[in-house]
Amino acid sequence: MRKNGPIALVFHTLVILFVLAPLAIVVLVAFTPDETLTLPTHGFSLRWFRAILDYPDFISAFFNSVKLAFLSATLSLAIALPAALAIGRMHFPGRGMLNGLLLSPLVIPSLVLGIAFLRFFALIGVTGSFVWLTIAHIIIVTPFMMRLLLASVAGLERSVEHAAASLGADPWTTFKRITLPMIIPGITGGWLLAFINSFDELTMSIFVTSPQTVTLPVRMYMYATESIDPMMASVSALVIVITAGAMLLIDRAYGLNRILVGHHG
């Protein structure tokens, strides 16, 4: 394979800088001692990070988002895994309709979904319920889970399963010892993608959260409409650091290349 030339390397470098520049600016602004969002700053200060402790709504919203994202991703996996195995390996009436149904939230704008959920929840009298907020998030993250699981199932080597069955392994043992380890990259990647999308979801969540179930993106949006101080940047910087740390731990423990591209090297 021919290596990238100087022009390609410059282009890729510029793309990476273009993507990372907003994150770097947010982190720099988070350390400003000034009262407003300014860059360049007049020195560095931790005042806006300490200010988060005086605003407990951000802390409770963060834990709401983590709990919501964890539940949404886990329950979505419980739904998407058997569906992906059935769709990817079997032929049955309604197979295409089931696949289209599970992937359909991808083509519906979040604004439309938010209004629809708001109207539906109001009709059945569950507005502001954390359980129904979780169900709404499951619906919007399941397509991301499905896409990675279907890709893993499509690349599954069936001959190994047939060999296990011919040696007397029952279906559950074959799934647990053969199938599951082979699709772990898709499961892990799908769960991470679902978790991130649930954690970051703003547009739909604005319509269906209540004061008791406000998520971090919604809280940040609400705060940004009331104030222009750099505390928003400090909260964003902490989220960036936590996300980067989590990705680093996953990479050291498992390997991001195995999760994202299914490399088993």
Side-chain angles (χ1 to χ4, degrees):
M1 181 182 295
R2 188 172 63 180
K3 295 182 178 180
N4 289 329
I7 296 178
L9 291 175
V10 171
F11 174 77
H12 293 155
T13 301
L14 291 175
V15 170
I16 293 173
L17 291 175
F18 179 78
V19 171
L20 295 180
L23 301 181
I25 291 174
V26 167
V27 173
L28 287 175
V29 172
F31 289 95
T32 182
D34 299 329
E35 296 289 337
T36 58
L37 295 166
T38 57
L39 193 71
T41 64
H42 305 291
F44 289 88
S45 171
L46 296 176
R47 63 172 294 192
W48 295 111
F49 290 95
R50 291 192 294 266
I52 298 174
L53 300 177
D54 299 324
Y55 200 85
D57 287 344
F58 272 128
I59 299 174
S60 62
F62 171 78
F63 285 111
N64 279 341
S65 287
V66 171
K67 181 169 67 173
L68 177 62
F70 179 84
L71 289 173
S72 300
T74 304
L75 295 175
S76 174
L77 174 61
I79 296 170
L81 180 57
L85 288 172
I87 293 171
R89 306 172 64 174
M90 301 169 61
H91 295 279
F92 54 89
R95 174 173 174 265
M97 183 182 70
L98 176 62
N99 186 36
L101 177 65
L102 292 173
L103 295 178
S104 61
L106 281 177
V107 301
I108 304 175
S110 296
L111 178 62
V112 176
L113 280 174
I115 296 173
F117 282 134
L118 175 63
R119 179 60 177 163
F120 176 67
F121 293 166
L123 286 174
I124 62 176
V126 296
T127 304
S129 166
F130 185 83
V131 172
W132 285 91
L133 175 62
T134 303
I135 292 174
H137 274 243
I138 291 172
I139 291 173
I140 64 173
V141 303
T142 295
F144 300 98
M145 182 79 72
M146 281 292 298
R147 293 184 69 174
L148 269 73
L149 288 177
L150 284 173
S152 294
V153 171
L156 198 61
E157 182 55 60
R158 299 295 302 275
S159 60
V160 182
E161 294 177 310
H162 295 156
S166 67
L167 294 173
D170 58 78
W172 170 245
T173 301
T174 301
F175 174 77
K176 182 176 65 174
R177 302 290 296 273
I178 304 296
T179 308
L180 188 60
M182 293 173 69
I183 61 174
I184 277 292
I187 292 174
T188 310
W191 191 92
L192 284 174
L193 196 57
F195 183 94
I196 292 170
N197 275 276
S198 176
F199 188 89
D200 289 342
E201 172 57 38
L202 170 63
T203 307
M204 184 274 292
S205 297
I206 288 177
F207 290 91
V208 294
T209 56
S210 67
Q212 294 75 32
T213 60
V214 171
T215 60
L216 184 60
V218 174
R219 178 62 64 190
M220 293 173 69
Y221 174 80
M222 294 167 61
Y223 187 83
T225 62
E226 303 169 357
S227 176
I228 57 171
D229 64 48
M231 188 158 66
M232 277 283 297
S234 64
V235 175
S236 300
L238 287 176
V239 173
I240 292 171
V241 171
I242 292 172
T243 303
M247 298 300 287
L248 179 62
L249 288 175
I250 293 170
D251 184 52
R252 295 296 298 271
Y254 192 76
L256 286 178
N257 59 330
R258 298 181 66 189
I259 294 173
L260 299 177
V261 299
H263 177 63
H264 297 271

